[in-house]
Amino acid sequence: MNFARLFRLAVAALAVLPCIPAAAALSADDKQCLACHAQEGLKKNLGKGETLSLHVQGDEFATSVHGELGCAACHSDVAPKKHPGSGKKIGSAREYALAKVEVCSQCHEDKAKLLEGSIHATTLRQGNLWAPVCTDCHGSHAVRAKAAQEPMNGISCRKCHDDIFDAYAGSMHGLARGKPGPVRAPICVDCHRAHDVSPASTGTRLRDACLGCHAGAVGAHEKWLPNTKTHLEVVSCPACHAPASQKRVDLRLYDPATKQRMSDQGGQSLDAKALWDLLRGVNREGAPARATLIGRLEVRTGAEAHQLTGKTQAIKDCVTCHKQGADAFQNVTISIIGPDGRPVRYEAKKEVLSNPASVDAVSNFYVIGGTRIKLLDALLALAVLAGISAPIGHLLLRRLLRKKPHERASGGEAPK
């Protein structure tokens, strides 16, 4: 191997290595802090058997994005001349971490605003103190830029979503991400975003994320899939691209005036009558908004939604969903939006799909003879027959009325 080729290979190898920031030149004040806080095992006793670690890895802090800012940037409440002193009262380690979020927002106001509208912040406001905050994802002192896009073994999302992350790791995206070299396979934040994380099964964000990367998907589907636009609207991508997953029909309660999903505090195991009563109650006389149900075919769990396979393994036949007794139509739920923004699903009996109250709910994805709901097949067939018969009958009646009385009596034309 000649020197020029060796040099090119070395440059190419360096290009794919992760960027490692240079260590900041720590100030004398920072070094004074680390003289104590770099000690292994340094901690504060909070009582009741709980401790708060005070240890800081000096070299990690120096190479972090905050290294050049120094300790005082985030710990301005500490007076060096009086420190450590008696120390401040800290109720718990979690309480301390939550309080430090305010410090982060002073410099990262834009990210704080995004976070405020996320499912994480909503869960925190509802009293779940373990909902993730800044330091849970970015760390405390070894803060890195774009921490949410770390290599597979450093993704912070897996701390809370381990079952989903394991499913992702075995998917086509996760396997591609784990390969050496530069890859463009999506990681968590590419689909769910980093700060303004919304409930995955609401809205169209995830579908839009899929089509954002797979720009040619619509055209490719149009070559073989009838009613492509409808399929992409009412069938979730994993329903076909995670072929081993279990499916369900979810009937979503919507306000047709605002086109937004509705929230409700009730909900039971619904049969056909309960569904009828629910719709009648929401659509009561004088109500400001009427409700409708919009059906959607989707997978049953978040983990299954991440078990995506290559396109050659995706479901590509009509029979799987449109056969008599198809699995998806055996599992039916009705969903509303709960107070935290996440969908709340209530199990429903599969017979609700063949009840007159559900006709509108399934009409957006119903194909006569396709979903094998026999009652709806019969009703729609009668409707089609009536639609065809009405104009034909009208024309015959008009022609008959135009004939002279003796022509109608004889059944033919009068003799000249």
Side-chain angles (χ1 to χ4, degrees):
M1 180 181 295
N2 60 43
F3 177 78
R5 185 179 181 188
L6 182 62
F7 178 76
R8 288 195 300 271
L9 290 174
V11 170
L14 289 173
V16 301
L17 289 176
C19 293
I20 302 174
L26 296 177
S27 68
D29 289 339
D30 294 338
K31 290 177 181 178
Q32 185 177 351
C33 295
L34 289 170
C36 291
H37 286 279
Q39 297 178 40
E40 292 281 353
L42 185 67
K43 58 187 178 183
K44 179 181 178 67
N45 186 7
L46 303 181
K48 298 181 180 179
E50 186 178 9
T51 60
L52 175 66
S53 175
L54 302 178
H55 171 65
V56 178
Q57 193 75 34
D59 56 348
E60 289 186 352
F61 173 67
T63 57
S64 75
V65 296
H66 291 159
E68 59 185 16
L69 300 178
C71 305
C74 296
H75 297 281
S76 59
D77 57 332
V78 177
K81 293 182 179 180
K82 298 180 180 180
H83 187 71
S86 59
K88 63 175 67 176
K89 177 71 174 176
I90 299 175
S92 67
R94 190 59 184 170
E95 179 184 302
Y96 182 77
L98 296 177
K100 281 301 176 183
V101 173
E102 298 299 322
V103 178
C104 301
S105 64
Q106 292 174 9
C107 293
H108 304 286
E109 185 178 0
D110 56 337
K111 299 298 187 293
K113 287 182 178 178
L114 291 173
L115 181 65
E116 188 66 19
S118 72
I119 182 61
H120 291 156
T122 302
T123 305
L124 182 64
R125 286 193 295 269
Q126 290 181 329
N128 184 350
L129 300 182
W130 293 101
V133 294
C134 310
T135 53
D136 293 311
C137 298
H138 294 279
S140 300
H141 296 95
V143 179
R144 301 169 302 279
K146 299 186 180 300
Q149 294 179 329
E150 290 285 334
M152 290 282 284
N153 59 358
I155 298 297
S156 56
C157 304
R158 67 188 310 170
K159 297 177 185 177
C160 298
H161 305 286
D162 54 342
D163 58 333
I164 289 178
F165 193 86
D166 289 343
Y168 162 81
S171 72
M172 61 173 294
H173 290 155
L175 294 174
R177 189 84 185 187
K179 292 179 180 178
V183 293
R184 295 184 60 83
I187 198 68
C188 311
V189 295
D190 294 310
C191 299
H192 298 279
R193 301 190 189 179
H195 296 94
D196 55 333
V197 181
S198 65
S201 52
T202 59
T204 62
R205 178 183 289 184
L206 291 186
R207 184 197 67 190
D208 296 342
C210 294
L211 295 179
C213 288
H214 302 283
V218 175
H221 283 78
E222 286 175 341
K223 294 179 180 179
W224 66 273
L225 181 64
N227 302 312
T228 300
K229 183 175 182 294
T230 299
H231 276 93
L232 293 180
E233 286 178 354
V234 302
V235 180
S236 70
C237 300
C240 295
H241 291 275
S245 63
Q246 291 186 303
K247 317 296 190 297
R248 68 175 166 216
V249 173
D250 185 44
L251 303 178
R252 301 177 170 188
L253 193 63
Y254 271 83
D255 177 353
T258 63
K259 301 187 185 304
Q260 299 294 318
R261 293 180 70 175
M262 299 180 69
S263 59
D264 184 64
Q265 299 302 315
Q268 303 292 331
S269 180
L270 299 173
D271 55 16
K273 182 179 183 303
L275 173 62
W276 181 269
D277 291 342
L278 171 65
L279 289 176
R280 186 174 57 181
V282 175
N283 292 337
R284 64 187 180 277
E285 192 69 27
R290 297 178 65 82
T292 187
L293 287 168
I294 297 180
R296 180 172 170 80
L297 187 66
E298 58 185 30
V299 298
R300 301 193 71 180
T301 68
E304 289 178 312
H306 291 77
Q307 295 173 339
L308 302 174
T309 63
K311 62 182 181 181
T312 58
Q313 297 173 273
I315 296 173
K316 201 175 179 180
D317 67 288
C318 302
V319 175
T320 300
C321 294
H322 295 287
K323 66 182 178 182
Q324 180 73 38
D327 291 341
F329 290 88
Q330 310 309 304
N331 303 300
V332 182
T333 57
I334 293 179
S335 68
I336 54 178
I337 297 299
D340 62 356
R342 287 182 290 187
V344 179
R345 293 185 176 86
Y346 300 101
E347 295 295 327
K349 296 182 178 179
K350 64 181 181 179
E351 286 77 17
V352 301
L353 293 176
S354 57
N355 185 268
S358 307
V359 172
D360 288 340
V362 299
S363 62
N364 59 328
F365 66 82
Y366 184 80
V367 179
I368 185 168
T371 47
R372 298 297 190 268
I373 301 174
K374 293 183 178 179
L375 176 59
L376 293 186
D377 279 350
L379 291 174
L380 287 176
L382 289 173
V384 171
L385 182 61
I388 296 174
S389 301
I392 294 176
H394 180 69
L395 290 173
L396 290 175
L397 184 61
R398 287 185 61 185
R399 184 173 181 182
L400 184 63
L401 291 175
R402 285 177 182 174
K403 290 183 178 182
K404 297 177 182 179
H406 61 272
E407 291 178 340
R408 291 198 295 270
S410 63
E413 295 184 1
K416 296 181 181 180

